[in-house]
Amino acid sequence: MFASKLPNVGTTIFTQMSQLAAETGALNLSQGFPDFDGPQALREAVGRHIAAGHNQYAPLTGLPALRQQVAAKIKRSYGRTVDADSEVTITPGATQALFCAIQTLIRPGDEVIVFDPCYDSYEPAVNLAGGHCVHLPLTQPDFAIDWQRLSDALTSRTRLIILNSPHNPSGALISRAELDQLADLIRGRDLYLLSDEVYEHLVFDGAQHASVLAHEELYQRAWVVSSFGKTYHVTGWKTGYVVAPPALSAELRKVHQYVSFCGVTPLQWALAEFMAACPEHVEQLPAFYQAKRDLFCELLTPSQFSFSRAAGSYFQLLEYSAIRNDLDDVAMAEWLTREHGVASIPISVFYQAPPKDLRLVRLCFAKREDTLRQAALKLCAI
Ligand code: GLN
């Protein structure tokens, strides 16, 4: 048997915890996906487009109508005019877009800066390209970038910095001022950005998402990734996109065309049609998810968990030291699932070196009111 190219990779924590939830019959607030359906008109459109014969390969860059809708949305949300033909690429999921961007740039020996806790798909993609991740912990308890550490970590081998805002698993947001600070720090250096913005429309309490798309200087050296799965409550459709300046898009497309060639055709037709008919969907998302966050947090107020409300994403972190300070978060997530019927995600698995005494688990509140009430009842009973 050959030596593994990914010796440290096992089955993802999302799969493990979803499986444990299914085995034990626990409420599954672990893996991030809604337990409700996307808009009916969107779902019906897929069937219609399949019946209408939209079943062969889409163009490798994505259906023009969908790329135009993405460009129009970017104009409305961030004020940037992007060229739908040369700057927008539709991919089978944000995961594939992230993978392609990394393969496009990274060569053996290159360093990639990631911030821990870090979404799990970045590092294996970097390693497969022969690169090496430099892990910088976000500050506690607010999950912000430590600018001194970032500045100290930059070397002549640094080729890429991966940003994720709104952040999974903490929900923390990068501010516009921080993007400016980043621009100051990397000006004149030969390095690029990969900005994972899949939760771009899930920002609360009146905050604005500071997108790299809205930052003229940073955008010139960035791939910006998003996911229709998050925005339209259809994670199983695995359809996303990447936006980058023409030269960066052209290089990414060389990789994308041989990883998958194109995204799923009828889904792209349906998304294009729905985005044109219902542009207000994205504007309604912050209030829609904020109501879920607030309901969940209010229901958890009498519990022994402590927390501050997530600023963005559809994840809420809960601190549990008052309940089982003897358990690390992996053991705690298992205990909560088996003994109390609520599955969550431990966050230490997203660290190279988890902070000592980390006592946080992540719960997904992209759930029906009924699910959130049942989960809160169980969590308050502990
Ligand atoms: N992004 C989802 C989460 O954070 C999981 C997606 C997956 O299972 N790969 O829960």
Side-chain angles (χ1 to χ4, degrees):
M1 173 66 184
F2 55 86
S4 172
K5 290 187 76 177
L6 296 171
N8 301 320
V9 167
T11 307
T12 78
I13 190 70
F14 308 118
T15 303
Q16 289 179 38
M17 291 311 299
S18 278
Q19 266 172 9
L20 187 62
E23 271 164 44
T24 58
L27 294 170
N28 190 1
L29 274 59
S30 63
Q31 192 176 24
F33 61 86
D35 71 347
F36 48 87
D37 252 328
Q40 190 177 351
L42 175 61
R43 288 180 285 122
E44 285 177 357
V46 179
R48 220 176 342 95
H49 284 290
I50 288 176
H54 291 141
N55 300 305
Q56 309 310 329
Y57 295 126
L60 87 90
T61 56
L63 273 192
L66 183 55
R67 285 188 278 104
Q68 280 151 18
Q69 285 303 320
V70 169
K73 191 203 72 169
I74 289 170
K75 179 77 182 164
R76 286 194 304 275
S77 297
Y78 308 120
R80 166 171 299 282
T81 304
V82 295
D83 178 37
D85 288 334
S86 61
E87 294 179 81
V88 180
T89 307
I90 309 298
T91 59
T95 311
Q96 196 259 21
L98 293 162
F99 186 86
C100 289
I102 290 166
Q103 304 311 312
T104 299
L105 178 68
I106 298 304
R107 294 169 190 268
D110 285 348
E111 288 176 2
V112 176
I113 291 183
V114 297
F115 298 99
D116 286 357
C118 161
Y119 187 62
D120 68 342
S121 82
Y122 310 151
E123 184 154 32
V126 170
N127 292 156
L128 286 173
H132 165 73
C133 281
V134 175
H135 291 258
L136 303 180
L138 294 170
T139 59
Q140 283 291 331
D142 49 357
F143 295 91
I145 292 173
D146 179 334
W147 291 95
Q148 190 55 51
R149 280 185 97 132
L150 176 56
S151 167
D152 294 346
L154 295 176
T155 74
S156 57
R157 290 189 300 280
T158 312
R159 289 291 280 158
L160 181 67
I161 297 175
I162 304 183
L163 301 175
N164 172 213
S165 176
H167 181 240
N168 179 4
S170 72
L173 308 178
I174 290 178
S175 67
R176 171 67 198 206
E178 287 176 298
L179 291 185
D180 289 341
Q181 199 165 351
L182 182 63
D184 288 344
L185 188 63
I186 65 177
R187 192 170 299 127
R189 284 183 176 269
D190 183 22
L191 63 80
Y192 293 81
L193 296 178
L194 177 53
S195 190
D196 179 347
E197 303 186 10
V198 299
Y199 301 104
E200 62 180 320
H201 299 296
L202 279 54
V203 290
F204 311 131
D205 307 312
Q208 293 292 313
H209 167 55
S211 175
V212 165
L213 289 166
H215 199 287
E216 180 55 34
E217 187 178 351
L218 290 181
Y219 177 66
Q220 296 312 323
R221 48 163 91 196
W223 290 274
V224 180
V225 171
S226 193
S227 171
F228 298 105
K230 312 290 170 192
T231 301
Y232 297 97
H233 319 305
V234 287
T235 59
W237 286 16
K238 292 302 297 186
T239 303
Y241 60 89
V242 53
V243 185
L248 299 192
S249 289
E251 286 303 312
L252 175 128
R253 289 169 175 185
K254 291 182 188 175
V255 177
H256 160 74
Q257 69 180 339
Y258 293 124
V259 173
S260 49
F261 184 75
C262 64
V264 178
T265 304
L267 300 183
Q268 294 188 51
W269 278 96
L271 284 162
E273 187 183 293
F274 185 77
M275 287 177 80
C278 197
E280 64 278 13
H281 174 88
V282 294
E283 281 136 45
Q284 293 161 354
L285 272 184
F288 175 77
Y289 274 116
Q290 185 173 326
K292 292 189 180 296
R293 179 203 66 171
D294 288 344
L295 172 70
F296 194 43
C297 288
E298 271 147 36
L299 292 168
L300 288 175
T301 306
S303 78
Q304 293 189 70
F305 292 96
S306 55
F307 52 87
S308 43
R309 294 184 185 202
S313 81
Y314 48 43
F315 303 116
Q316 178 63 49
L317 293 183
L318 298 181
E319 208 274 352
Y320 62 84
S321 59
I323 300 173
R324 290 296 305 264
N325 203 24
D326 59 318
L327 295 182
D328 68 26
D329 62 347
V330 174
M332 181 67 179
E334 185 169 343
W335 181 76
L336 282 174
T337 311
R338 290 190 188 281
E339 304 300 324
H340 296 282
V342 181
S344 60
I345 295 284
I347 75 160
S348 61
V349 299
F350 304 123
Y351 281 89
Q352 183 180 52
K356 217 163 93 33
D357 302 329
L358 190 74
R359 293 288 181 268
L360 293 170
V361 288
R362 186 199 85 175
L363 287 101
C364 174
F365 58 78
K367 304 294 166 191
R368 296 186 304 261
E369 181 174 334
D370 174 49
T371 312
L372 295 175
R373 286 189 185 278
Q374 283 184 52
L377 211 58
K378 291 172 188 286
L379 294 170
C380 287
I382 304 173

